[in-house]
Amino acid sequence: MTRFEKGRHHERHDPHWVEWLTGILSAILVIGMLGWIGWETVTREATPPDLAVRVLTTERTTAGYRVAFDIYNTATTTAAAVTVVGRLAEGGRVIEENHVIFDYVAAESKSAGALLFENDPAGRALDIRPAGYTEP
Amino acid sequence: MTDRAAGAADAENHVGRFLTGLGRGVAGALFLALPMLMTMEMWYLGFYITRERLLLLLVVNIPLLILLSHRIGFEETFTWRESVRDATIAYGIGILTSLLVLAALGLLRGDMPASELLGKVALQSVPASIGAMLGRSQLGRGMSEDDDGTETPYHSELLLMATGALFVSLNIAPTEETMVLAYKMTAWHALAVIVLSILVMHGFVYAVSFIGGHELQPETPWWHAFVRFTLPGYVVALAVSVFTLWVFESFGNSSAVEMLHSVIVLGFPASLGASAARLIL
């Protein structure tokens, strides 16, 4: 409990036990968080972004085809402006090429996106791969 | 006869004071919410924010406004009933001010879908309503001698900190910078930010002699206040940070460590907001 007097607040000397309980629980939480982060400083080595694409589904849309995919970053560093290029090839010749840019793919995380094609990827060779990134 | 004249004069005076309160509310809403009204991410959030999360934010705002109103409302509020009325007025001012400013800035157009218009105004009405409520305390008479002797129960103290933290978080959480900082920082930086947040929080309220600052009785050791107020305050600030980041969908599919980093980044301004609330309110 806090008392307001002469423009100042005065903390009571004899607080209710709930104040102590809340304080101790908070202390445990903060120490736990410090412990977690402290553990990270020791165990987590900085590795450059390691990006991989996994194609999920191909669906027909009004104007063509949508290929949905997830992009994974297994490293402990975040990649920014990640460009993903998708090539559709038929008989060794690229017939369609599209790309998409992810603002960020966070460390040890995934992001979802999709590429749109005019031609049906079914029966053709589809290659979707990360093409580059910058440091955030 | 004189009684009736006095009554009429009193009523007029009452209306006058009420209108001044409304004016201060609009001024407060403008003054404190304008940074958010002019932030690009907040306009975009208006249409892509999940409706369930927006609704939750709008609902959570109600008890905070009522508590604020009980402390500082447009007029002296003595009963919770009056506080609810004043909180409603503040929310109304928040909605109208947001609508007016967004429309004036050309961000609301007739060809936009209704849900986008609604989302933009509703999102902005939360900080604007808090601003409207604070308008009185900041622009009006503020704390005075007749507040002497008021006691703040512990849970109210924590809720006031949550309100301060929420207000500052709403300013910063939607910006891309929160996430970029989290991506850039290493675990060492995160540790430094945690320590800095807690030190600044404690220092603001106890060490630096602001008006409205807190004092301990001479026989109370310093760590009593640290455990009872500063640490719970920091946890409240972190919890509010988690809430706002979740509402604004900033977490995405990030890993737990990245999420924790962004919570710590936002926790810094949020903890400052929480301690400022303890000083001002």
Side-chain angles (χ1 to χ4, degrees), chain B residues 175-249:
Chain B
T175 62
E176 200 179 331
E177 283 79 353
T178 316
M179 302 317 288
V180 176
L181 287 170
Y183 294 152
K184 278 177 170 291
M185 77 192 328
T186 63
W188 287 108
H189 294 108
L191 277 180
V193 172
I194 296 172
V195 172
L196 191 67
S197 305
I198 295 176
L199 284 182
V200 167
M201 230 185 146
H202 195 75
F204 251 43
V205 181
Y206 294 101
V208 194
S209 257
F210 285 124
I211 293 172
H214 290 235
E215 268 173 15
L216 298 168
Q217 277 155 12
E219 66 270 26
T220 318
W222 69 272
W223 59 266
H224 274 213
F226 187 75
V227 173
R228 274 161 51 206
F229 290 98
T230 304
L231 286 182
Y234 187 54
V235 171
V236 165
L238 289 180
V240 168
S241 304
V242 171
F243 176 70
T244 38
L245 286 172
W246 175 77
V247 164
F248 291 153
E249 296 171 39

Side-chain angles (χ1 to χ4, degrees), chain A residues 4 7-9 11 13 109 136, chain B residues 149 184 206 210 212 215 220 255:
Chain A
F4 187 76
R8 312 276 300 166
H9 298 271
E11 250 65 285
H13 184 63
S109 307
Chain B
K184 278 177 170 291
Y206 294 101
F210 285 124
E215 268 173 15
T220 318
S255 60

Side-chain angles (χ1 to χ4, degrees), chain A residues 13-29:
Chain A
H13 184 63
D14 51 337
H16 194 260
W17 60 267
V18 168
E19 301 190 12
W20 281 114
L21 182 69
T22 317
I24 289 163
L25 286 179
S26 306
I28 292 170
L29 279 172

Side-chain angles (χ1 to χ4, degrees), chain B residues 125-144:
Chain B
S125 73
V126 174
S129 62
I130 300 178
M133 201 51 102
L134 291 179
R136 176 180 171 274
S137 132
Q138 295 299 289
L139 309 172
R141 65 171 184 100
M143 281 286 189
S144 72

Side-chain angles (χ1 to χ4, degrees), chain B:
Chain B
M1 193 64 193
T2 44
D3 266 9
R4 203 186 282 175
D10 198 41
E12 209 165 277
N13 188 21
H14 186 78
V15 171
R17 267 192 295 132
F18 182 71
L19 287 179
T20 315
L22 285 186
R24 283 179 182 157
V26 174
L30 275 177
F31 191 59
L32 292 167
L34 212 51
M36 277 158 274
L37 285 161
M38 299 182 81
T39 299
M40 202 158 62
E41 285 89 345
M42 286 291 269
W43 316 333
Y44 298 151
L45 273 166
F47 57 80
Y48 77 71
I49 189 171
T50 325
R51 296 296 124 162
E52 293 83 17
R53 296 185 189 188
L54 178 58
L55 181 68
L56 189 66
L57 179 68
L58 296 175
V59 171
V60 161
N61 191 32
I62 296 171
L64 295 181
L65 280 181
I66 294 173
L67 177 80
L68 270 183
S69 153
H70 199 65
R71 292 292 299 249
I72 54 163
F74 292 106
E75 300 176 65
E76 298 285 347
T77 54
F78 296 108
T79 64
W80 286 104
R81 197 190 146 107
E82 286 174 292
S83 302
V84 171
R85 182 204 61 190
D86 275 8
T88 316
I89 294 171
Y91 222 154
I93 290 179
I95 294 169
L96 283 179
T97 312
S98 310
L99 188 68
L100 211 74
V101 173
L102 287 175
L105 293 173
L107 296 167
L108 303 177
R109 288 196 317 272
D111 57 352
M112 285 177 180
S115 73
E116 181 180 345
L117 298 172
L118 185 69
K120 278 182 177 170
V121 175
L123 182 61
Q124 299 280 5
S125 73
V126 174
S129 62
I130 300 178
M133 201 51 102
L134 291 179
R136 176 180 171 274
S137 132
Q138 295 299 289
L139 309 172
R141 65 171 184 100
M143 281 286 189
S144 72
E145 290 304 311
D146 49 282
D147 281 328
D148 259 6
T150 48
E151 290 210 334
T152 311
Y154 189 60
H155 60 271
S156 294
E157 188 95 21
L158 292 183
L159 266 175
L160 283 177
M161 287 198 252
T163 314
L166 179 68
F167 185 77
V168 180
S169 298
L170 287 175
N171 266 290
I172 296 172
T175 62
E176 200 179 331
E177 283 79 353
T178 316
M179 302 317 288
V180 176
L181 287 170
Y183 294 152
K184 278 177 170 291
M185 77 192 328
T186 63
W188 287 108
H189 294 108
L191 277 180
V193 172
I194 296 172
V195 172
L196 191 67
S197 305
I198 295 176
L199 284 182
V200 167
M201 230 185 146
H202 195 75
F204 251 43
V205 181
Y206 294 101
V208 194
S209 257
F210 285 124
I211 293 172
H214 290 235
E215 268 173 15
L216 298 168
Q217 277 155 12
E219 66 270 26
T220 318
W222 69 272
W223 59 266
H224 274 213
F226 187 75
V227 173
R228 274 161 51 206
F229 290 98
T230 304
L231 286 182
Y234 187 54
V235 171
V236 165
L238 289 180
V240 168
S241 304
V242 171
F243 176 70
T244 38
L245 286 172
W246 175 77
V247 164
F248 291 153
E249 296 171 39
S250 303
F251 285 138
N253 284 319
S254 292
S255 60
V257 177
E258 290 298 329
M259 286 186 196
L260 183 65
H261 280 189
S262 53
V263 169
I264 290 166
V265 167
L266 188 60
F268 183 42
S271 60
L272 279 184
S275 46
R278 292 189 71 194
L279 293 175
I280 296 165
L281 304 174

